[in-house]
Amino acid sequence: MRRIEHMRLHEIPRAVRNPKEHDLDGIRASVEAFGCTVAGELDERTGRLVVGHGRLQVLEQMAADRVSPPEGILVDDDGTWLVPIVRGWSSRSDADAEAYLVANNRTTEKGGWEERMLAEVLADVRDADPDLLLAAGYTDDDLADLADAIAGADGSDRDEELPDPGDANEDIRPEVWGIIVTCDNETEQTRLLERLADEGWQVRALM
C-alpha cells in the first residue's frame, strides 16, 4: 500500500548507481518557492531511493546552510530534518529497480513541451511574479529564446506559396476564342481557309 512517511534526511539510502545529473540551483529555487511536497520514492525490496536524489541533495545543502526548513519538512527533536518519502513500492530485481530509476526521468525528458502554450504560461507567470519564473526554471532570456524558436518554426513550417506556372501563363496569354471545323480532304480545307480569310477571320490549318 502506498503511503508517505517522513524519514530522517541523512539516513535515507541512495541508489547504488544513479546516472541522472541534476540542476541543483534550479531544484533549490523550486523547493524554496513551492516547498517540498514529496522528496522521493523508496524501493522496499532494496531499502534504497529510486526517485528524488536531486531533491535530497538540495535539502542536505539547505540543512547544512542552516536555513529554515521549507514547507513540508518536519524537524526532529535533535534538529534533523524529516522529509516526506513515498513508501510501499517494491522492485522485482536490481535491474527492475534501475530501469524504474531511469524511466522516471526518461519519460519526462522525452515528453517535451508544447512550446507555444509553454511560452504563454511562462509569460503570464512572469507578469504575475518575476520570481516565480525563476522558480519554474526559466529566465527572461530563456523566454526570449523560446519566442525566437517559435517564430523560426512558424517560418520554416509554412510552405512558401509559389505561383503555379500554368497560372502565370494564363495571366499573360490573351484570350482566344475559336472553333474547329473538320474537312473531308485537303481541297475542302484549302477552300474553307481562303473563304474565311477573305471574310477577315484569323485562320490556320491543322494537319
Side-chain angles (χ1 to χ4, degrees):
M1 180 177 177
R2 301 293 190 272
R3 65 190 186 279
I4 294 179
E5 189 174 296
H6 282 76
M7 303 180 63
R8 295 170 66 87
L9 175 59
H10 300 291
E11 296 178 1
I12 302 172
R14 276 49 165 185
V16 175
R17 297 192 299 180
N18 178 26
K20 182 68 173 68
E21 296 179 344
H22 301 96
D23 175 14
L24 298 180
D25 290 339
I27 295 174
R28 180 160 182 166
S30 177
V31 170
E32 289 174 342
F34 310 119
C36 182
T37 52
V38 175
E41 300 176 31
L42 201 75
D43 179 357
E44 299 296 337
R45 186 186 68 84
T46 64
R48 293 183 177 277
L49 204 68
V50 286
V51 174
H53 292 81
R55 277 165 281 174
L56 290 192
Q57 191 172 341
V58 164
L59 291 173
E60 287 177 336
Q61 290 177 347
M62 294 175 70
D65 292 342
R66 298 186 181 280
V67 300
S68 298
E71 189 275 330
I73 300 297
L74 304 180
V75 181
D76 207 351
D77 293 338
D78 61 2
T80 299
W81 285 12
L82 304 174
V83 300
I85 298 293
V86 174
R87 303 289 303 267
W89 178 79
S90 296
S91 62
R92 293 164 294 188
S93 65
D94 290 348
D96 192 52
E98 292 192 321
Y100 176 64
L101 184 153
V102 172
N104 183 268
N105 293 287
R106 181 61 171 162
T107 50
T108 299
E109 178 183 72
K110 291 184 67 177
W113 295 96
E114 203 297 301
E115 291 187 336
R116 189 177 300 278
M117 187 182 300
L118 174 63
E120 293 173 356
V121 169
L122 292 176
D124 290 343
V125 167
R126 178 198 59 195
D127 293 344
D129 185 345
D131 289 338
L132 286 178
L133 181 64
L134 295 175
Y138 286 84
T139 65
D140 285 327
D141 289 342
D142 293 331
L143 196 52
D145 290 342
L146 182 59
D148 290 343
I150 293 171
D154 287 345
S156 61
D157 290 343
R158 192 164 44 240
D159 292 334
E160 185 177 358
E161 295 182 0
L162 298 176
D164 183 82
D167 294 341
N169 291 336
E170 289 178 2
D171 291 340
I172 62 176
R173 186 170 56 237
E175 286 185 346
V176 176
W177 299 91
I179 61 172
I180 295 176
V181 179
T182 302
C183 300
D184 291 335
N185 52 57
E186 186 177 356
T187 300
E188 286 185 0
Q189 182 189 53
T190 301
R191 284 202 300 264
L192 181 60
L193 287 171
E194 291 174 349
R195 191 181 76 184
L196 292 174
D198 289 342
E199 294 177 3
W201 299 100
Q202 294 182 3
V203 293
R204 61 190 178 90
L206 299 175
M207 299 299 294

